[in-house]
């Protein structure tokens, strides 16, 4: 990037917004989404995946409260993911918000098993990236995932994000099936000048029938 960068920071906390779409929408996370999200996490028993952190039905209320508290602190903007019928089928966030450097991470994302790898997922990422780059004027958007979460890594790479590097022994895993193991974290990003290409790619993905 050449020339000086504008110094205006992101607002903190980020304003709560709704991002509508054709296949579904993103709305501010609220306690009223609890029952739908409990049903969603039971679809595939997602909380049992050792390489990711997805709330169990019993832990859903606490997880919603945790995310809302982080929003109040200015470090997260949490959303519920709704399908076309208006039912909550997952969660996502802008997290690790860095107002001074105008960076956010899209993460803490999960979808019920039956909507994974569908147009809903692609459209939600398009909505989040569009808002980040075109409304918030972000310089960069990050994605992070466990080295062993190959499904997540393939999904991030399909967006057009590039691998910045791997943080080795980055975090201690606290899942019962891998208690005390160390997580290597893959860090990806999309930069502001790359956004037009990524946007065109995602629109193309939405316009064509999915075959796999």
């Amino acid at each position: 990037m050449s020339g000086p960068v504008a110094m205006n920071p992101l607002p903190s906390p980020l304003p709560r917004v709704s991002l509508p779409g054709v296949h579904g929408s993103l709305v501010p996370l609220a306690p009223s989404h609890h029952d739908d999200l409990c049903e969603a996490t039971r679809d595939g028993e997602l909380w049992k995946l050792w390489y990711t952190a997805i709330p169990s039905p019993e832990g859903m209320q606490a997880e919603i409260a945790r995310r809302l508290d982080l929003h109040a602190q200015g470090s997260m903007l949490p959303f519920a993911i709704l399908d076309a019928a208006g039912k909550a089928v997952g969660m996502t966030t802008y997290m690790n918000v860095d107002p001074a450097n105008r960076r956010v991470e899209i993460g803490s994302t999960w979808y019920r098993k039956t909507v994974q790898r569908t147009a809903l997922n692609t459209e939600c990422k398009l909505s989040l990236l569009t808002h980040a780059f075109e409304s918030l004027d972000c310089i960069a958007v990050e994605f992070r995932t466990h080295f062993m979460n190959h499904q997540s890594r393939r999904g991030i790479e399909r967006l057009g994000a590039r691998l910045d590097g791997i943080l080795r022994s980055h975090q201690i895993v606290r899942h019962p099936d891998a208690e005390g193991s160390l997580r290597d974290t893959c860090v990806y990003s999309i930069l502001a000048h790359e956004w037009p290409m990524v946007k065109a790619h995602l629109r193309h993905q939405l316009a064509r029938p999915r075959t796999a």
Side-chain angles (χ1 to χ4, degrees):
M1 179 180 294
S2 60
V5 176
M7 300 295 287
N8 53 302
L10 297 176
S12 182
L14 294 178
R16 287 163 64 84
V17 295
S18 295
L19 304 175
V22 174
H23 303 282
S25 59
L26 297 167
V27 300
L29 180 67
S32 60
H33 296 121
H34 174 269
D35 291 351
D36 280 354
L37 291 171
C38 286
E39 179 184 331
T41 198
R42 290 188 184 99
D43 181 9
E45 298 185 318
L46 302 178
W47 69 93
K48 293 184 177 180
L49 299 173
W50 70 269
Y51 48 78
T52 190
I54 297 175
S56 66
E58 295 75 19
M60 191 64 66
Q61 183 174 355
E63 177 62 11
I64 292 171
R66 184 187 74 86
R67 295 188 186 208
L68 293 178
D69 184 58
L70 288 173
H71 175 257
Q73 296 175 35
S75 64
M76 179 180 281
L77 178 59
F79 296 90
I81 303 166
L82 308 186
D83 63 15
K87 191 178 185 67
V89 293
M91 307 165 83
T92 191
T93 75
Y94 292 130
M95 57 187 287
N96 294 324
V97 180
D98 183 350
N101 294 298
R102 301 212 310 276
R103 298 177 70 95
V104 299
E105 176 187 342
I106 295 175
S108 292
T109 303
W110 61 271
Y111 299 81
R112 66 181 301 155
K113 187 174 182 180
T114 50
V115 302
Q116 292 175 11
R117 297 211 58 199
T118 68
L120 174 60
N121 189 338
T122 304
E123 186 177 54
C124 286
K125 290 298 191 297
L126 176 60
S127 295
L128 287 166
L129 288 166
T130 299
H131 185 68
F133 286 117
E134 298 181 14
S135 296
L136 299 176
D137 194 26
C138 285
I139 293 170
V141 175
E142 288 186 11
F143 300 86
R144 298 188 177 204
T145 193
H146 196 302
F147 180 86
M148 297 301 294
N149 193 343
H150 300 296
Q151 179 178 338
S152 176
R153 291 177 62 185
R154 288 193 298 268
I156 293 169
E157 289 164 3
R158 280 196 299 270
L159 295 174
R162 298 189 184 184
L163 180 66
D164 293 325
I166 300 173
L167 302 176
R168 301 175 67 196
S169 296
H170 179 228
Q171 293 177 330
I172 300 172
V173 176
R174 291 176 170 82
H175 192 282
D177 291 342
E179 190 77 38
S181 65
L182 293 172
R183 161 177 158 153
D184 291 346
T185 299
C186 296
V187 182
Y188 294 83
S189 68
I190 297 171
L191 306 183
H193 74 272
E194 298 169 339
W195 167 234
M197 176 188 66
V198 172
K199 183 178 182 179
H201 170 66
L202 291 176
R203 285 181 166 177
H204 173 72
Q205 293 294 317
L206 281 172
R208 68 186 182 91
R210 194 164 198 125
T211 57

